[in-house]
Structures are given as structure tokens and as C-alpha cells.
């Protein structure tokens, strides 16, 4: 260490001659690895199945239940694309667009928060509903998804907006 005075202020200049570069780089690498690991473990994506997610209401969509508009319905989305929470009367369905599956959700696990709802993916049932006749169709500015609930059940049809590039908004 060397000391000197510059403009009336004592300045300390430290020398790193005693620190070997290899040890310093190893220590820096270990510290950054530990920081990255702790950030990953604390990230919301790793705990998303445990905590309740906020599902926001879809702004514009069309829903038909057995070719008629239901009197009470809403569709909710989260940050995770391809998952929709559909509210039909007193019933909730989790619709996985990528896997073409639908799950019956216990309405007691869904908590309203104004226009939005809170629900955790940890409450998803193990087995999906039978959804034969799953069809999707690109209607330019909309994507139509239609499937049957059960082998001989009713049809659920949703028309969801698409971005200008043709990718789904939700």
C-alpha cells in the first residue's frame, strides 16, 4: 500500500501484487455461480406451481357453448402463453392450447380480484377431460378453437385475437 496526498486529501493506493490471478478468477467464478443459483432458486418460475397466479381478463374474445353465446362467461390469461382459464356460469376450465387439453377446475380454488382472478397451477387436476373433435382454425385476425367436452358432450368454441404476425395474443 502506498499513501500520498492529492489536493489536501489522503489517498490510499492499494497494490494487488500479492493476489494471484488464478485464485482471484476462481473466487469470482464461484461467487457468480452462487449468485446465479440463488437467483434461479428464488425466481417466480420455479415457485409458480406453489403460489397463486394473477389471471387477467381477456379483452376481446368470442365464446360459444353448443353454438350459442353463454349468458355468463369470461376468459382469463396469464404470462404463460397457451394457457387459458375459461369461466362458464359456475364452472372453470383450464385450457392448454399447446397440448390440446382441458381440465375441470374446482371453483372454490379460484379467487376473484376485481375483473381478474387468482388461481394456482398446483391446483390443476391430474387427468384432463376427454376432448375429442379438437379443431383450430386461423381466421386471419382471430384463432378459432373448438372442442367437445366429453365423448358425447357439448361443444365449446372460442375465438381469440391474433397479433399482426399471426401469433396468438394469449
Amino acid at each position: 500500500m502506498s499513501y500520498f496526498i492529492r489536493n489536501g486529501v489522503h489517498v490510499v493506493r492499494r497494490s494487488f501484487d500479492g493476489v494471484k490471478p488464478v485464485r482471484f478468477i476462481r473466487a469470482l467464478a464461484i461467487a457468480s455461480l452462487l449468485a446465479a443459483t440463488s437467483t434461479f432458486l428464488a425466481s417466480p418460475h420455479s415457485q409458480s406451481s406453489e403460489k397463486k397466479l394473477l389471471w387477467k381478463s381477456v379483452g376481446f374474445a368470442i365464446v360459444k357453448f353448443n353454438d350459442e353465446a353463454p349468458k355468463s362467461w369470461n376468459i382469463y390469461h396469464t404470462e404463460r402463453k397457451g394457457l387459458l382459464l375459461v369461466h362458464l356460469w359456475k364452472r372453470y376450465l383450464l385450457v392448454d392450447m399447446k397440448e390440446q387439453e382441458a381440465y375441470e377446475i374446482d371453483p372454490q380454488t379460484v379467487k376473484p380480484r376485481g375483473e381478474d382472478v387468482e388461481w394456482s397451477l398446483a391446483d390443476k387436476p391430474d387427468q384432463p377431460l376427454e376432448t375429442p373433435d379438437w379443431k383450430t382454425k386461423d381466421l386471419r385476425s382471430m384463432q378459432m378453437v373448438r372442442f367437445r367436452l366429453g365423448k358425447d358432450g357439448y361443444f365449446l368454441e372460442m375465438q381469440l385475437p391474433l397479433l399482426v404476425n399471426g401469433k396468438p395474443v394469449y
Side-chain angles (χ1 to χ4, degrees):
M1 271 190 263
S2 60
Y3 301 95
F4 62 94
I5 299 174
R6 178 183 291 162
N7 296 334
V9 177
H10 291 282
V11 178
V12 177
R13 194 162 118 193
R14 294 188 178 168
S15 168
F16 290 100
D17 293 338
V19 178
K20 294 186 179 183
V22 174
R23 286 187 183 169
F24 180 73
I25 291 172
R26 280 187 198 155
L28 187 62
I30 290 171
S32 63
L33 182 64
L34 288 173
T37 304
S38 66
T39 303
F40 175 75
L41 292 175
S43 74
H45 299 295
S46 65
Q47 297 174 356
S48 64
S49 62
E50 295 174 7
K51 72 175 192 176
K52 293 198 181 259
L53 297 173
L54 184 65
W55 296 73
K56 298 183 181 244
S57 181
V58 170
F60 178 73
I62 298 171
V63 174
K64 293 182 182 177
F65 189 74
N66 225 25
D67 294 324
E68 293 184 14
K71 293 184 181 191
S72 174
W73 67 273
N74 205 344
I75 299 178
Y76 303 96
H77 71 96
T78 187
E79 294 173 4
R80 195 167 155 196
K81 295 238 183 222
L83 286 180
L84 298 172
L85 196 60
V86 180
H87 182 204
L88 290 170
W89 297 286
K90 294 180 180 181
R91 183 179 194 180
Y92 283 92
L93 297 171
L94 175 66
V95 178
D96 188 342
M97 305 285 278
K98 292 177 185 170
E99 299 296 324
Q100 297 185 350
E101 295 176 334
Y103 297 86
E104 181 85 34
I105 303 300
D106 181 10
Q108 301 295 326
T109 61
V110 180
K111 303 294 180 211
R113 296 283 182 250
E115 291 184 11
D116 305 329
V117 294
E118 275 188 0
W119 182 72
S120 173
L121 288 172
D123 295 331
K124 179 178 97 169
D126 295 332
Q127 295 297 318
L129 296 170
E130 187 177 355
T131 53
D133 304 324
W134 188 290
K135 295 177 187 172
T136 58
K137 188 175 182 181
D138 185 3
L139 304 173
R140 290 194 179 174
S141 63
M142 304 286 278
Q143 178 186 26
M144 192 258 317
V145 178
R146 181 181 170 101
F147 58 90
R148 186 182 295 272
L149 293 169
K151 187 177 180 182
D152 299 318
Y154 295 111
F155 278 101
L156 177 64
E157 180 179 315
M158 300 179 293
Q159 294 179 17
L160 305 164
L162 294 174
L163 296 172
V164 176
N165 63 5
K167 295 191 178 195
V169 176
Y170 311 108

